[in-house]
Amino acid sequence: ETGVTQSPTHLIKTRGQQVTLRCSSQSGHNTVSWYQQALGQGPQFIFQYYREEENGRGNFPPRFSGLQFPNYSSELNVNALELDDSALYLCASTAPTGIAYGYTFGSGTRLTVV
Amino acid sequence: GNSVTQMEGPVTLSEEAFLTINCTYTATGYPSLFWYVQYPGEGLQLLLKATKADDKGSNKGFEATYRKETTSFHLEKGSVQVSDSAVYFCTLGGDYKLSFGAGTTVTVRA
């Protein structure tokens, strides 16, 4: 299996709700990162997982959390949704050789909070 | 911390024109540099990369050279096509994450 697959593609939630976004990485890619891309801006790093452990985090509050599973799938969970959480959420994975290899991105999940 | 500054858009060109998008970076250590492209309604695609000083990345007619002395990684293409219309992101890789510029929207008219 090749590529990075994200689901769902679009989602509408109400402020205060919780959401789970899913990602399936390429086989052998044991590093996965999540990014938030607000409209008209560049993606912002949320956090990274390596071998099921978080090993890096950007400037996002604890209500953003994640999980990585042994089968190269992962989740991004956001609690207590706020209107500003409306964005495109991108999952990216890379091979064990690391960042110089380049990340493969999924097509993203468009989250709208109303 | 690491950061990237790229030329603001939007940029509008005619087909077969020359494209340059300027990018400069600030970083500690020896980062890798990338250009990612985002077509309308899609995720990010890696366009090209360079992992050390003086490396030249190239793909689909696009080129960029990692210049440590000027901390730059400018993107160039000699003859653009309508299909090159997209948002281009200069990106720095280091400290376990990618740092993106704000993106430059390029529109190529036939």
Side-chain angles (χ1 to χ4, degrees):
Chain A
E1 182 180 358
T2 60
V4 177
T5 305
Q6 292 187 241
S7 63
T9 55
H10 295 83
L11 198 55
I12 300 175
K13 288 286 190 178
T14 302
R15 188 172 49 183
Q17 284 187 316
Q18 180 268 342
V19 69
T20 297
L21 310 181
R22 294 182 170 81
C23 173
S24 178
S25 304
Q26 286 185 225
S27 180
H29 281 200
N30 54 10
T31 299
V32 65
S33 302
W34 287 89
Y35 290 79
Q36 180 195 66
Q37 185 179 17
L39 198 62
Q41 298 182 22
Q44 298 293 316
F45 175 71
I46 302 175
F47 46 57
Q48 176 168 283
Y49 278 76
Y50 173 68
R51 292 184 175 179
E52 303 161 48
E53 296 285 334
E54 184 181 300
N55 73 341
R57 190 175 185 91
N59 189 27
F60 281 81
R63 60 189 184 84
F64 286 78
S65 63
L67 287 171
Q68 185 187 25
F69 304 100
N71 64 351
Y72 304 109
S73 66
S74 59
E75 292 180 353
L76 165 65
N77 299 289
V78 186
N79 294 322
L81 283 166
E82 301 177 359
L83 297 179
D84 285 348
D85 296 334
S86 295
L88 180 67
Y89 288 85
L90 297 164
C91 171
S93 69
T94 191
T97 49
I99 202 164
Y101 180 83
Y103 282 79
T104 301
F105 281 82
S107 297
T109 294
R110 174 73 63 187
L111 172 65
T112 302
V113 182
V114 298
Chain B
N2 295 343
S3 66
V4 173
T5 302
Q6 67 180 96
M7 184 175 82
E8 291 186 15
V11 174
T12 302
L13 302 165
S14 298
E15 215 166 17
E16 299 183 2
F18 184 85
L19 171 67
T20 298
I21 303 176
N22 290 336
C23 171
T24 58
Y25 66 90
T26 301
T28 56
Y30 302 95
S32 296
L33 297 171
F34 308 88
W35 278 97
Y36 278 87
V37 59
Q38 188 171 37
Y39 297 100
E42 298 184 12
L44 295 168
Q45 296 180 24
L46 177 63
L47 181 59
L48 53 82
K49 66 177 181 179
T51 58
K52 62 183 187 296
D54 299 324
D55 268 2
K56 176 186 283 188
S58 61
N59 186 28
K60 300 181 180 180
F62 290 90
E63 293 184 341
T65 301
Y66 189 160
R67 302 287 189 198
K68 197 170 190 303
E69 64 275 14
T70 55
T71 62
S72 65
F73 193 55
H74 305 321
L75 182 68
E76 297 182 336
K77 185 173 185 182
S79 177
V80 294
Q81 305 299 314
V82 171
S83 57
D84 294 325
S85 298
V87 182
Y88 293 82
F89 293 95
C90 185
T91 308
L92 184 152
D95 295 336
Y96 302 106
K97 67 178 183 180
L98 298 175
S99 298
F100 290 84
T104 301
T105 300
V106 174
T107 302
V108 180
R109 294 181 174 170

